[in-house]
Amino acid sequence: MKKYFQTARTTWENSFVYRLNFVMWRARQILSLVTGYFLWLALFNNRNQLFGYSLNEMLTYVLAASAVQSVVFSSRTIDLAAVINSGELSRILVKPLSNIKYWFAQDLADKALNIIFSVGEIGLLIWWLRPNLAIPSWSGIIMFLILLPGALILYFLINYLFGLLGFWTPEVWAPRFLLLVFLMFAAGNMFPLDVLPDSIVKAINLTPFPYLIYYPVRALLGKLAITETGLIIAMTYTWIGIMYLIVKLTWEKGLKAYGAEGN
Amino acid sequence: MKRYFRIWWQLTHVSFATNVATVFSSILFLAGKILRFVFMLIFLLGIVNAAGGIAGYNRIQSIFFYLTFNLIDILAQLFLRGVYLFRQKVVSGEFDYYLIKPVNPLFRALGGNADLLDLITLIPLMIYMGRLVSEMRIGWLDIMLFLFMLMMGFLLSLSFHILVAALGVVTTEVDNAIMFYRDLTAMGRVPVDIYATPIREILTFIIPVAVMITFPAKALMGLLSMEWILFSLFMVFCFLFFSLRFWKYALSQYSSASS
């Protein structure tokens, strides 16, 4: 456990080496948040309700989704494919480290850093814009805290799986780009999925993506009934189980194909 | 001019050949680009249909802002894509070879990596825009003004790319700068009128995303006054001048990593 804690600590410290990188990344998140915030403000205009959300609820959704995105989507596992392609994976394989735990430790450090800054940024925006937010209930907060770790682990496994493609091809960026496009649309970070036609929402619900941001934030807003929350929790952890099995199989096959080229 | 066109054509030919050589990746990238456009359009159509428009603009006008953003974005990526690969050239020392050749290094840095996939997505976009223009029943004068403002928008985009390239020479920090620029211009997917003070002012007077994207669309709709057109010309001139000066300064500070 101590070695993974050290890995996380090193990742944390590394983030401050390339400070400009990090500042630019956070600036980009703020831009995205500001765009969404003002778009919904303009759409509501003099309306009380849109897509089943009041203005307060929608603005709360936008801000909460941004914070959740900082936690769930921040990841170092994006470097895994490059590590495999360059043969650097050998360094990790010869050490008494589990590769998946090693990368998860790095992810956790990255997420911790991002959430600290995200909370600060959202706090500043709330102080500046003074929106009327929907205050979540205690049950909503509890449901959210149950769903959030699941979302975290699920995204890590999805990202890790795409990183493992590096065993077979150096061209990992293309499938990853496609994944990002689907996430942008189906995870609920840009907008609640209620905006979309029912048929599209039904199709999206067959994927793991809405369990990353949309359902946790809906739970926070108290828009999930207890029974529905139970189902969402079950689905989230079912997807985690499925993804873990796929990752495990892919890793075993990948190791057999691994040639440590470049190292 | 003819010489530069021949060089650009040759470089573009090589870039297109690379796309064709990596068929699987190219198909996935093309699918991603198309899906990204379609998904965003579905989202925008959903919200403008429910809300009746954005910031006083009707449904078709609201969508046209998004299409104008895409047009500027695709044109910039088509002609200025070299900036995405520029950091590697500086870090590896390959930029040294740009400097010793009898070709403007800025031209070489920015141009020449045109993406065939962007050309493919440009065609249906322009067809869709044409359809919307015919639905809006726009006169020829407004169309000409739109094309003129589009050119101004592209020149502004060029200025930003030159600034990023210059930043890459001075600091080797290109990737985040160019993505920051793209996120900034993405704020122009919707009319900048929706943003509160001081964001709207920043996007108009300091980092003129409004001039790049909102103004061309407004010009087409006959909503852009002469004062704003003259302001746009002034901003384009200032940004081009400043970006080229900064590029010149960056070159004077360049020390090769290795070659």
Side-chain angles (χ1 to χ4, degrees):
Chain A
M1 204 62 190
K2 212 171 162 185
K3 53 198 172 193
Y4 300 113
F5 177 75
Q6 187 56 45
T7 303
R9 194 176 151 181
T10 309
T11 306
W12 174 279
E13 286 167 5
N14 270 343
S15 301
F16 292 105
V17 171
Y18 299 102
R19 282 181 288 267
L20 186 58
N21 251 5
F22 188 75
V23 166
M24 289 286 212
W25 166 249
R26 292 314 316 165
R28 289 177 59 199
Q29 306 312 305
I30 293 172
L31 286 181
S32 178
L33 172 58
V34 163
T35 306
Y37 181 92
F38 283 105
L39 175 61
W40 285 109
L41 207 56
L43 284 168
F44 269 84
N45 208 0
N46 292 316
R47 284 183 177 77
N48 293 325
Q49 286 266 324
L50 258 183
F51 305 110
Y53 289 80
S54 65
L55 176 61
N56 298 356
E57 286 173 335
M58 189 58 84
L59 295 181
T60 310
Y61 183 97
V62 169
L63 293 171
S66 176
V68 173
Q69 182 184 320
S70 290
V71 178
V72 175
F73 283 1
S74 53
S75 173
R76 287 302 176 101
T77 315
I78 207 156
D79 298 332
L80 174 58
V83 165
I84 295 172
N85 288 150
S86 64
E88 293 261 322
L89 182 66
S90 306
R91 280 194 303 112
I92 302 169
L93 292 175
V94 297
K95 290 187 174 121
L97 285 173
S98 156
N99 191 57
I100 196 169
K101 288 180 189 172
Y102 172 75
W103 285 98
F104 191 61
Q106 289 196 74
D107 260 28
L108 285 179
D110 203 47
K111 289 173 197 308
L113 191 62
N114 274 281
I115 191 60
I116 289 168
F117 279 86
S118 179
V119 165
E121 289 149 18
I122 290 171
L124 265 169
L125 275 169
I126 290 172
W127 169 79
W128 170 40
L129 297 166
R130 300 188 199 284
N132 281 325
L133 299 176
I135 308 295
S137 62
W138 279 112
S139 59
I141 293 172
I142 291 166
M143 304 295 181
F144 170 74
L145 290 174
I146 293 172
L147 284 171
L148 187 63
L152 230 127
I153 295 167
L154 182 56
Y155 181 72
F156 166 74
L157 289 171
I158 293 171
N159 221 5
Y160 190 79
L161 178 65
F162 273 77
L164 293 180
L165 292 175
F167 280 124
W168 292 278
T169 173
E171 292 168 24
V172 181
W173 176 229
R176 195 177 278 285
F177 173 67
L178 204 52
L179 171 69
L180 287 173
V181 169
F182 274 105
L183 281 174
M184 174 194 90
F185 186 68
N189 52 314
M190 273 184 62
F191 49 84
L193 300 183
D194 313 82
V195 168
L196 302 170
D198 281 341
S199 52
I200 295 180
V201 176
K202 280 188 181 134
I204 289 173
N205 275 327
L206 297 173
T207 70
F209 304 131
Y211 303 98
L212 296 173
I213 293 176
Y214 174 63
Y215 282 121
V217 176
R218 254 183 90 84
L220 183 70
L221 288 174
K223 285 189 162 292
L224 291 180
I226 299 285
T227 49
E228 211 182 342
T229 310
L231 182 64
I232 301 299
I233 293 170
M235 283 305 298
T236 303
Y237 287 94
T238 302
W239 271 113
I240 287 173
I242 294 169
M243 291 307 304
Y244 181 73
L245 279 169
I246 297 173
V247 157
K248 199 161 179 286
L249 279 165
T250 312
W251 170 253
E252 283 164 12
K253 282 204 173 328
L255 275 185
K256 288 176 186 162
Y258 182 57
E261 293 99 359
N263 203 349
Chain B
M1 195 74 175
K2 205 173 164 184
R3 185 167 73 101
Y4 276 91
F5 177 75
R6 274 209 316 265
I7 294 168
W8 178 81
W9 183 254
Q10 185 61 36
L11 292 170
T12 302
H13 186 249
V14 169
S15 177
F16 281 16
T18 310
N19 279 130
V20 171
T22 53
V23 173
F24 178 64
S25 285
S26 297
I27 290 170
L28 288 182
F29 271 122
L30 183 62
K33 284 174 194 273
I34 292 170
L35 282 171
R36 182 174 57 187
F37 173 80
V38 168
F39 287 164
M40 193 65 196
L41 192 61
I42 290 173
F43 164 63
L44 278 175
L45 280 169
I47 59 174
V48 299
N49 279 337
I54 305 173
Y57 298 97
N58 65 32
R59 193 176 62 88
I60 295 178
Q61 288 172 332
S62 302
I63 298 297
F64 199 82
F65 282 104
Y66 173 61
L67 298 181
T68 307
F69 157 76
N70 273 279
L71 184 59
I72 295 278
D73 193 48
I74 290 175
L75 286 174
Q77 289 226 62
L78 193 56
F79 293 107
L80 307 172
R81 196 165 157 263
V83 79
Y84 295 90
L85 308 165
F86 186 57
R87 181 184 178 275
Q88 198 47 42
K89 311 288 182 201
V90 173
V91 165
S92 66
E94 196 176 327
F95 185 55
D96 295 0
Y97 297 116
Y98 289 14
L99 293 170
I100 61 173
K101 290 204 163 71
V103 175
N104 187 314
L106 182 60
F107 167 82
R108 190 70 182 81
L110 294 182
N113 286 92
D115 193 346
L116 172 65
L117 307 178
D118 286 318
L119 188 63
I120 293 171
T121 54
L122 187 62
I123 297 163
L125 172 68
M126 289 174 76
I127 292 171
Y128 188 35
M129 284 181 91
R131 204 187 120 212
L132 283 191
V133 167
S134 67
E135 266 184 55
M136 288 194 279
R137 293 204 175 96
I138 304 291
W140 278 107
L141 193 62
D142 289 331
I143 292 174
M144 298 303 292
L145 191 57
F146 167 71
L147 292 172
F148 175 74
M149 293 304 295
L150 207 63
M151 193 175 67
M152 293 296 109
F154 181 75
L155 288 175
L156 256 180
S157 181
L158 172 66
S159 305
F160 280 117
H161 281 76
I162 293 171
L163 279 172
V164 170
L167 202 63
V169 172
V170 173
T171 68
T172 73
E173 184 47 67
V174 172
D175 302 333
N176 275 304
I178 195 65
M179 294 314 292
F180 183 76
Y181 153 79
R182 290 195 64 189
D183 284 342
L184 212 53
T185 52
M187 295 179 82
R189 274 186 284 201
V190 290
V192 299
D193 310 62
I194 70 164
Y195 300 110
T197 304
I199 296 175
R200 188 172 54 229
E201 280 70 27
I202 291 171
L203 293 177
T204 308
F205 298 108
I206 300 174
I207 308 170
V209 171
V211 175
M212 220 188 302
I213 298 162
T214 302
F215 282 18
K218 277 187 167 181
L220 187 86
M221 296 166 202
L223 298 171
L224 198 66
S225 65
M226 185 52 75
E227 289 87 5
W228 284 119
I229 295 170
L230 291 172
F231 169 76
S232 305
L233 281 167
F234 173 71
M235 289 300 272
V236 167
F237 173 76
C238 288
F239 267 80
L240 258 181
F241 177 77
F242 173 68
S243 62
L244 288 168
R245 293 288 291 195
F246 187 49
W247 170 256
K248 206 172 167 185
Y249 165 77
L251 286 184
S252 72
Q253 301 298 307
Y254 177 66
S255 55
S256 169
S258 70
S259 50

